Amino acid sequence: MALSGTIQDALNEHINQEFQSSYLYLSMSAYYESINLPGFAHWMRVQSQEEYGHSMNLFDFVNDRQGRVMLQPISQPTLEFQSPLEVMQQSLGHERQISQLIHRLYEVAVQEEDYPTQVHLQWFITEQVEEEKVASNIVEQLKMIGSKGDALLLLDRELGARSAVPADRRAL
Ligand code: FEO
């Protein structure tokens, strides 16, 4: 079953959203570097790579369905933040928005009776539950830490241990 024009447009739009997420998290990584929190910077850099992987997963899916990938412009991400906590709060808000977009995309696939896209998107729906949970946990930890520098450095060390994503993997 070939992709309908409606689904193809919606998937292309979401490929762009995931690239946008990747760029935002890279900007957050740069901010953490600038305030000397290398563990947080590393964690955000890995997060950026994950988002790139999500884009590429949909890129491959559109091609596998004999559709046409049409890349769109990526806008400048937020550059400055007020605190380590504000970054994670923005990240959590962003993930919640992405979840909504994926749910809407799924609804389009249902309306179009496109079953392969519905099945494919189920992975993304589950992934969003995990992404929101992880971001929310870090937000709560940062709130508990408050202005305690030693606790912040411990969390920085913990986040710095996150495994990197293999380059350009096809499977997620
Ligand atoms: Fe690809 Fe964090 O959503």
Side-chain angles (χ1 to χ4, degrees):
M1 176 187 170
L3 286 178
S4 72
T6 305
I7 290 281
Q8 179 173 292
D9 290 349
L11 287 170
N12 272 317
E13 171 61 31
H14 200 76
I15 288 171
N16 181 262
Q17 288 291 343
E18 297 285 349
F19 275 126
Q20 199 72 54
S21 302
S22 178
Y23 216 37
L24 173 63
Y25 292 149
L26 201 54
S27 183
M28 289 175 170
S29 177
Y31 165 77
Y32 279 132
E33 289 283 359
S34 77
I35 59 168
N36 301 311
L37 288 172
F40 279 87
H42 168 79
W43 192 92
M44 272 301 175
R45 189 174 172 136
V46 174
Q47 193 62 28
S48 171
Q49 290 169 346
E50 272 210 12
E51 302 302 354
Y52 173 81
H54 297 169
S55 297
M56 294 310 295
N57 174 287
L58 292 175
F59 181 101
D60 288 336
F61 180 70
V62 170
N63 287 327
D64 288 348
R65 298 284 308 281
Q66 283 87 52
R68 178 74 169 91
V69 172
M70 309 277 252
L71 296 178
Q72 295 158 29
I74 301 171
S75 56
Q76 185 175 42
T78 308
L79 300 179
E80 292 298 343
F81 304 90
Q82 298 308 311
S83 65
L85 173 60
E86 195 213 352
V87 177
M88 287 310 306
Q89 284 171 324
Q90 284 202 22
S91 167
L92 175 58
H94 184 76
E95 286 304 327
R96 287 177 173 154
Q97 246 178 310
I98 294 290
S99 298
Q100 285 180 353
L101 291 174
I102 290 171
H103 297 164
R104 249 177 264 150
L105 185 53
Y106 188 88
E107 282 165 20
V108 175
V110 170
Q111 283 156 16
E112 294 286 305
E113 298 183 352
D114 184 329
Y115 301 107
T117 299
Q118 288 173 40
V119 171
H120 197 79
L121 288 176
Q122 281 173 10
W123 182 90
F124 283 84
I125 292 170
T126 307
E127 171 72 2
Q128 282 310 116
V129 173
E130 179 67 19
E131 298 236 324
E132 286 187 33
K133 184 189 85 178
V134 170
S136 173
N137 284 349
I138 300 175
V139 164
E140 291 310 313
Q141 286 177 42
L142 281 169
K143 282 185 190 164
M144 274 188 271
I145 286 170
S147 57
K148 288 179 236 137
D150 49 348
L152 184 64
L153 290 181
L154 272 179
L155 181 57
D156 187 63
R157 200 174 300 167
E158 191 186 313
L159 295 181
R162 183 178 184 182
S163 306
V165 176
D168 200 24
R169 63 180 178 177
R170 184 178 169 97
L172 289 164

